[in-house]
Each structure stands twice: as C-alpha cells, then as structure tokens.
Amino acid sequence: MPDVLDASPYDALLLLSFGGPEGPDDVVPFLENVTRGRGIPKERLKEVGQHYFLFGGVSPINDQNRALLDALRKDFAEHGLDLPVYWGNRNWAPYLTDTLREMVRDGRRRILVLATSAYASYSGCRQYRENLADALAALDAEGLELPKIDKLRHYFNHPGFVEPMVDGVVRSLAELPEEVREGAHLAFCTHSIPNSAADTSGPVEEHGDGGAYVRQHLDVARLIADAVRERTGVDHPWQLVYQSRSGAPHIPWLEPDICDHLEERHAAGVPAVVMAPIGFVSDHMEVLYDLDTEATAKAGELGLPVRRSATVGADPRFAAAVRDLVLERAGAERGQEVTPCALGTLGASHNLCPVGCCPARAPRPAAAGADSPYV
C-alpha cells in the first residue's frame, strides 16, 4: 500500500477549464456564452462556429478533460493522496457554478483549483478567478456556505509539464524526412493576445514589454530547445510565434502569426518546421484548427514539410506534477517550509496572485487572489 500523503487543509481539487461544444446544436449557444456582453450577432457566431462544424460541432476539450480527470484520480490513488477531484467549466457543461454547488453540498470547505492554463495573463488566470468569484456570488445568493478557494500556481516551468513537450518535439523531428530533419526550425506556438494584455500580465513589478506572458513562454521555449539539442545533438533554431488572433484589426496583438512565420521561414530557405504548441495543455480546437488545419494547409501550399508536436494532455508526468503542486501548496498552507519544483530562469510562480496582477480593462471581483472579496 502507498504511504498516505497529506493534502490538508484541502479537501478537494477542482479542475477548471474553458469548456466546449459536444455537438452541432451546442456550437452557437457555447459561443454565446464565450462572447456574452459583447453584442455579437448570432449570424456572426455561426460564421465563427465553422471551425467547430468542420469537426462535427464537437470540441475535443471535454473528452481531454475527462482523460485528465482519470489520470489525476489514478495517480492520486496510486500514491496515497486521498483528495477527490471535481470538474467545472467556464463556458459549457459541467458549468463551474453547478460544480461548486455540488462540492459545497458534498461538504467541501477548502478547495484547490487547477486551471487548464499554465501561464500568466488576464484570459489565462484572472478571468478564471473572476469566474470563480461569480460562482461564489451565485452560491452566496442561494444562502449556501461558501468554501475557501485557492488556485494552484502557474506550472509552465514544472518538469512534469515541460518534459512531455520535449518528447513531443523529438518525436516530431524524427518523423520528418531525413534529408530535412537536421535543418528543421522549431516554432513554439501559443495563443496571441493583445499587446496591452501581454504588457500588463503578471505582477505589477514585472509589467513591461510582453509582461510575464511573453517571458514565461520564452523561458519554456529555451528549456525545450536546449533539451532537444542535448537529446539529438542538433541545435535547431527556434522562435516563439502566435496563433488564434480574434481581435479587431486595428488593435495590436502579439506577432508573428504562425502562418506568416511559415511563409517567412520558407522564403529564407528553411527546409522544415516543427510546430510545438507550448501554450496549450491539450489538443483542443485552436490546436486542431489553427495548427493542424490552417497552418498545415499553408505549409502544403508552400511545399514546406511540417510536423506538429503533441501537447501534454493527460500524460502521467503531468498528473504527477499536479500531485506535486497540490502537496507543495498544502505544505505551505500548513506553515511548512517547501521547495517548489521549477525549471529555467524564472523560478516558481507566486501562490497568491497579488493586487494588480493581470488587470482587467473593467475591474471585476476575482477570487483566489490577494484582492479577493472571499477570504
């Protein structure tokens, strides 16, 4: 029998994700949830939803979260960590508020949250915290006893997140034709966000060009490129590139776009490219469409060999990393001295988001941070 691991004071873990449609009839309602308050006409949402309709109206993200839930529960059980794992989404069933209500009724009072976003940014962290605050407000209005909620720190540089991506890049290089393999470039891909959101990501003292969002991605890209060089003996040139821009054309967003990057690399005589989606936990719709469909089609037009490496998904090493993060945070909450596990130059991220971290354009209450109205 495994030793019993101590997660106290926590009595549950909540996997908090974005959500996605699971059939054609879900697509427009899902997009209405995502864009609520922006006044986007339904006809425009139908156009945007074509990406989902290409895949039968089904986003893979919910199945991937089910696989991650299974991996977490299996890892916890095998290592003697008695901590139930729940799942809630921001924009589709199972909805966050419903899941929190279930947790409260199950008697859960100290909840840790694992968000399926590894990096600092408004959309990748504070917006999740705002949704948590909204859910707590709804439960408060129902007269339910509110749990105390903490969010696990950013895990972009945890070995359990980085090492599976290294393996994925090495495998993708090996899949390229031998004659282009050594000269292949690495395109480390992440979601583009407005420059203004990037510049204000992370704690206030870290704000600046690109903010924590860009710095964290660059650190992970260097880690992977260095590890690939050690594994293969080849120093592959690399660049951080962006995808999935969705904003108004006049607003500056992070560049270069992956398709533009492929054109530029081809024009420069690069023989092949491996696209590594380091900004994403799993192969959700933006990976399947923007990389596997759109960028791969662009590469085909150019005659440029490309491969797309795997995301972390439900890799057992990622499940083990979550266990490590849970025990680390639990120990810190109990007042023990803990040594956070982190690779690269940036060290472990903060446990508690400080005031002014990844600010919203219009201030809203956000839970699980230093400025939380729920303590």
Side-chain angles (χ1 to χ4, degrees):
M1 293 289 292
D3 294 331
V4 175
L5 300 179
D6 188 4
S8 65
Y10 298 106
D11 54 21
L13 176 69
L14 168 62
L15 175 65
L16 177 56
S17 193
F18 192 80
E22 300 200 78
D25 293 340
D26 296 342
V27 172
V28 171
F30 162 74
L31 292 173
E32 288 175 333
N33 287 343
V34 174
T35 62
R36 183 175 289 114
R38 301 183 202 172
I40 299 177
K42 182 170 289 190
E43 290 307 311
R44 174 59 182 149
L45 295 180
K46 289 179 180 178
E47 293 175 18
V48 174
Q50 291 307 312
H51 295 180
Y52 291 95
F53 292 127
L54 286 174
F55 296 88
V58 178
S59 168
I61 192 169
N62 282 347
D63 275 347
Q64 289 161 1
N65 280 322
R66 292 181 184 104
L68 179 55
L69 281 171
D70 288 344
L72 291 171
R73 289 165 177 160
K74 181 175 185 290
D75 178 273
F76 288 6
E78 289 177 348
H79 291 86
L81 180 57
D82 184 16
L83 191 70
V85 186
Y86 295 74
W87 169 36
N89 289 325
R90 291 169 48 193
N91 299 298
W92 201 249
Y95 288 103
L96 169 60
T97 301
D98 295 337
T99 300
L100 273 183
R101 185 183 298 110
E102 175 189 1
M103 297 177 80
V104 167
R105 288 174 175 167
D106 285 348
R108 311 305 176 191
R109 295 294 177 262
R110 288 294 303 271
I111 297 171
L112 263 178
V113 174
L114 168 67
T116 54
S117 177
Y119 301 85
S121 70
Y122 170 73
S123 58
C125 183
R126 186 175 180 89
Q127 194 168 20
Y128 282 87
R129 294 176 49 225
E130 290 175 353
N131 294 144
L132 283 166
D134 291 342
L136 288 170
L139 298 189
D140 192 34
E142 296 172 12
L144 295 176
E145 181 180 353
L146 299 187
K148 185 178 187 306
I149 293 180
D150 293 322
K151 179 177 174 291
L152 288 173
R153 66 175 172 90
H154 301 303
Y155 46 84
F156 62 92
N157 56 2
H158 194 287
F161 186 68
V162 174
E163 290 167 1
M165 293 190 290
V166 173
D167 288 350
V169 172
V170 171
R171 282 194 300 268
S172 293
L173 286 166
E175 292 169 0
L176 286 168
E178 187 174 357
E179 63 271 17
V180 301
R181 189 179 304 151
E182 187 168 334
H185 284 218
L186 309 179
F188 292 109
C189 308
T190 192
H191 205 301
S192 184
I193 60 176
N195 287 8
S196 58
D199 291 344
T200 56
S201 60
V204 173
E205 62 272 16
E206 297 179 12
H207 290 173
D209 290 347
Y213 186 75
V214 172
R215 282 198 298 277
Q216 290 170 1
H217 280 88
L218 285 173
D219 210 45
V220 171
R222 290 189 192 98
L223 283 167
I224 297 172
D226 289 348
V228 169
R229 183 182 64 249
E230 292 174 6
R231 293 265 294 272
T232 66
V234 178
D235 191 8
H236 293 275
W238 62 270
Q239 185 170 341
L240 180 63
V241 302
Y242 302 92
Q243 62 178 87
S244 312
R245 178 193 168 122
S246 59
H250 68 281
I251 298 176
W253 282 50
L254 294 173
E255 296 179 336
D257 177 77
I258 178 60
C259 290
D260 295 338
H261 178 71
L262 293 176
E263 289 185 337
E264 189 274 332
R265 291 294 79 199
H266 178 257
V270 169
V273 173
V274 168
M275 301 181 292
I278 64 171
F280 307 95
V281 172
S282 63
D283 289 7
H284 55 59
M285 184 56 67
E286 286 170 324
V287 175
L288 292 188
Y289 183 79
D290 295 324
L291 295 184
D292 293 356
T293 305
E294 190 173 49
T296 300
K298 171 59 69 176
E301 294 171 11
L302 298 169
L304 177 66
V306 296
R307 295 294 185 273
R308 196 269 290 175
S309 65
T311 53
V312 173
D315 189 290
R317 289 168 292 183
F318 182 46
V322 174
R323 167 170 41 89
D324 181 62
L325 291 167
V326 167
L327 296 174
E328 172 197 305
R329 183 61 182 272
E333 288 295 306
R334 295 194 301 270
Q336 297 174 348
E337 186 173 341
V338 297
T339 303
C341 188
L343 301 175
T345 63
L346 299 181
S349 183
H350 48 261
N351 273 334
L352 188 69
C353 292
V355 175
C357 192
C358 303
R361 290 190 298 273
R364 290 179 53 201
D371 55 355
S372 172
Y374 301 99
V375 294

